[in-house]
């Protein structure tokens, strides 16, 4: 059974600092997604990672994938208040082209 | 832009009532999903549909049913609402390879 674990689940940090959110998954998968959710709003797709060593970057966010370790990281560089949100990773279920298995989410608060 | 809309942002129902949650997408996506989101549990898949009139159970289908009579519309039905169905309900649609899910704004349902 595919399970997805994120850590930390809650993170409070100062503006200007760097930090990393981790996403571990338990069985082989061919795709991994990162999403962002602002309070009271819907989920927004950030990145799709498909292969070992894949790296995607947008602004201060960079996501990477290590399929051998079954680990993805979401790195935040020089955090700004606008990045405060809950971040979810989701892993594709190899038994289904449609299903994603979701992590519990990391609530990130960035203080000015 | 993909647009996924849900019929209500907030809903309050009484125990035992039949509840309908509607979701409409405007991008001709084949796949549609219903999730519930609870704090600390991430997103859990209730049902999904990969074509009109086709449906498959997700991880937590008990107490729910769905209907997809038209490609753009996917309905979630709570036959007899119970208090443990109080939650945020998210609808999503997807297409393409790899499939990327696009989410609606969510319906916060309270069952009293």
């Amino acid at each position: 059974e595919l399970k997805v674990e994120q850590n930390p689940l809650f993170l409070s940090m100062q503006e200007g600092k760097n930090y990393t959110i981790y996403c571990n998954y338990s069985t082989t998968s061919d795709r991994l997604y990162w999403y962002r959710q602002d309070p009271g709003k819907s989920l927004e797709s950030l990145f799709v990672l498909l292969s070992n060593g894949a790296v995607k970057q947008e602004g201060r966010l960079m996501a990477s994938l290590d399929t051998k370790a079954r680990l993805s990281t979401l790195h935040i560089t020089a955090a700004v208040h606008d990045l405060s949100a809950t971040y979810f990773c989701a892993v594709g279920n190899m038994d289904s082209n449609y299903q994603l298995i979701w992590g519990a989410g990391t609530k990130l608060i960035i203080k000015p | 832009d993909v647009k996924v809309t849900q019929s209500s942002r907030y809903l309050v129902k009484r125990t035992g009532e039949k509840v309908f949650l509607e979701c409409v997408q405007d991008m001709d996506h084949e796949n549609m999903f219903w999730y519930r989101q609870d704090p600390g549990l991430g997103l859990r898949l209730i049902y999904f549909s990969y074509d009109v009139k086709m449906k498959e159970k997700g991880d937590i289908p008990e107490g729910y049913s769905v209907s997809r009579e038209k490609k753009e519309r996917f309905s979630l039905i709570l036959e007899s609402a119970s208090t443990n169905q109080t939650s945020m309900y998210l609808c999503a649609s997807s297409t393409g390879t790899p499939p990327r899910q696009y989410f609606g704004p969510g319906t916060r349902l309270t069952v009293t």
Side-chain angles (χ1 to χ4, degrees):
Chain A
E1 181 188 353
L2 177 56
K3 292 186 178 179
V4 180
E5 285 189 3
Q6 276 183 248
N7 68 84
L9 298 183
F10 180 80
L11 177 57
S12 178
M13 54 194 289
Q14 296 291 129
E15 276 192 328
K17 300 288 187 183
N18 303 334
Y19 210 82
T20 302
I21 299 170
Y22 298 89
C23 176
N24 289 91
Y25 54 99
S26 58
T27 63
T28 302
S29 177
D30 59 354
R31 59 199 188 279
L32 187 140
Y33 303 77
W34 283 97
Y35 281 80
R36 168 183 173 149
Q37 186 179 35
D38 292 301
K41 297 199 173 179
S42 190
L43 278 78
E44 173 191 354
S45 176
L46 293 174
F47 303 111
V48 182
L49 302 167
L50 301 177
S51 58
N52 188 42
V55 176
K56 296 273 183 80
Q57 182 163 6
E58 184 169 329
R60 300 174 188 275
L61 299 178
M62 183 173 72
S64 65
L65 179 63
D66 180 342
T67 57
K68 293 178 182 177
R70 297 177 187 154
L71 171 69
S72 179
T73 59
L74 181 66
H75 187 74
I76 302 144
T77 302
V80 292
H81 179 66
D82 287 353
L83 290 178
S84 295
T86 299
Y87 293 87
F88 292 92
C89 67
V91 178
N93 184 350
M94 292 287 281
D95 295 332
S96 165
N97 191 40
Y98 316 104
Q99 275 192 298
L100 298 179
I101 308 300
W102 293 78
T106 298
K107 185 171 184 177
L108 176 63
I109 296 176
I110 300 169
K111 300 176 182 178
Chain B
D1 279 351
V2 175
K3 192 166 185 183
V4 180
T5 57
Q6 295 182 228
S7 51
S8 306
R9 292 300 305 275
Y10 300 94
L11 210 50
V12 180
K13 295 292 182 181
R14 294 196 179 275
T15 301
E17 280 193 84
K18 191 169 186 176
V19 182
F20 293 87
L21 302 182
E22 300 283 333
C23 175
V24 177
Q25 51 96 2
D26 67 356
M27 286 303 291
D28 203 36
H29 285 177
E30 298 87 6
N31 311 315
M32 296 188 75
F33 306 81
W34 275 106
Y35 292 94
R36 64 179 282 176
Q37 182 180 19
D38 298 290
L41 297 178
L43 277 68
R44 292 181 292 167
L45 182 64
I46 304 171
Y47 269 96
F48 67 99
S49 169
Y50 51 90
D51 202 350
V52 175
K53 296 190 187 293
M54 306 302 289
K55 61 186 179 186
E56 287 208 20
K57 293 180 180 179
D59 299 317
I60 52 165
E62 297 78 19
Y64 304 95
S65 62
V66 290
S67 172
R68 193 166 181 202
E69 297 296 319
K70 293 185 178 181
K71 192 174 186 179
E72 68 270 18
R73 189 180 297 270
F74 192 34
S75 303
L76 180 69
I77 303 151
L78 287 67
E79 295 290 341
S80 177
S82 64
T83 54
N84 63 12
Q85 292 178 309
T86 292
S87 186
M88 171 70 82
Y89 289 87
L90 294 169
C91 174
S93 69
S94 78
T95 191
T97 304
R100 187 181 296 212
Q101 294 188 14
Y102 296 87
F103 284 82
T107 296
R108 186 165 291 283
L109 173 67
T110 302
V111 183
T112 62

